[in-house]
Amino acid sequence: MNLELSEEQTAVRRLAKDFVDREIAPNVVAWDRAEEVDRAVVKKLGEVGFLGLTIDEEYGGSGGDHLAYCLVTEELGRGDSSVRGIVSVSLGLVTKTIQAYGTEEQKREWIPRLTAGEALGCFGLTEPGTGSDAGNLTTRAVRDGDDYVLNGSKMFITNGTWADVVLLFARSTDAPGHKGVSAFLVPADTPGLTRRTIHGKLGLRGQATAELTLEDVRVPATALLGPEGKGFSIAMAALAKGRMSVAAGCVGIAQAALDAAVGYAGEREQFGKSIASYQLVQELISDIAVDVDAARLLTWRVADLIDRGESFATAASQAKLFASEAAVRAANNALQVFGGYGYIDEYPVGKLLRDARVMTLYEGTSQIQKLIIGRALTGVSAF
């Protein structure tokens, strides 16, 4: 792997940095307190091309490779993980999945709007009773003539109240476990689909997280994405790439923690000199720096494997596991550097810690990542 960025990748990274500094950074505190990101940012993300990365240009995408996607995702994570999550879910989990498995009609209907920021997607997998055990979901899809009728509920759905289309996973056959799961593209305005915003979150407060309830939601059979009964494999394929995106966002959190800690340590004086001169403060900062670089390299490796067409799922789990845990450590160490000021939301590190904490939970907990890695190494399934 060549670790030197190309001119195109460098330009994309600079574009993302400038976008974050101009459109996101000045609003982070206000969005966090209001528990809502300004929705206008979605259209701006589309206009700058970030919602079309790696998507074919014939469908309105902006192309680019997966390393460029990671560079943008990292910068968005540095700015505000709530905004990063909008892109990771709508583009990473939904748009890419439609491109990979959709019919030509489905691609033409949804992808141009999603890449332009005119529409958003959400990923309807997690349920109130099934998080890590996604293969045993209970939402049902019953065939009724030329339609499917959907009943059930979904929980902790990012973009849930903003989305225009739900990539929904439901049990459509009596086959046991994951074999009976199918995927559907459900317009969010379909009668019977209701959405409730979840407030009071520890982190990602600006992100629209929702509970979805489906009561006799009727969709045509053409809403089926991919073959019937293959929904679980579609979901797992999406999440494998999604873990790279989460890892990249975690690198951004850790980088923001490093930037904040170094800047504050140079300004803050105690006992007649800046705290940057104290060895124990330098230790905290050096620990953050090592975590940043290690997480970034693990994430870039995943992008390189994907772009070369090689197997990447285990590497993605390794990157997600390490980067998410590293982001928590980095934010916690940065808060220690800030001392009491780190506990006030006028300073960035408290939010970084709150946002980092959920990264070890969603798109596969740290424990699930360890099971995936262990299974790959031993050949023995833990499930």
Side-chain angles (χ1 to χ4, degrees), residues 89-99 101 106 110 114 120-126 150 154 157 163-170 182-188 193 212 223-226 231 234-235 238-239:
V89 172
S90 190
L91 168 59
L93 296 184
V94 179
T95 309
K96 289 184 180 183
T97 303
I98 296 173
Q99 177 169 264
Y101 297 97
Q106 289 170 334
W110 289 113
L114 290 166
L120 276 180
C122 67
F123 193 75
L125 179 64
T126 299
L150 308 171
K154 300 292 179 178
I157 307 303
D164 300 274
V165 61
V166 183
L167 175 49
L168 187 91
F169 298 89
S182 297
F184 299 87
L185 293 174
V186 181
L193 174 58
L212 311 182
L224 186 70
L225 182 69
I234 290 173
L239 288 173

Side-chain angles (χ1 to χ4, degrees), residues 6 36 66 102 118 138 140 201 249 273 298 300 319 352 383:
S6 67
E36 185 174 30
H66 285 82
E118 296 171 357
T138 60
R140 299 288 302 188
K201 294 176 295 182
K273 56 183 179 180
L298 282 170
W300 285 15
L352 293 175
F383 301 103

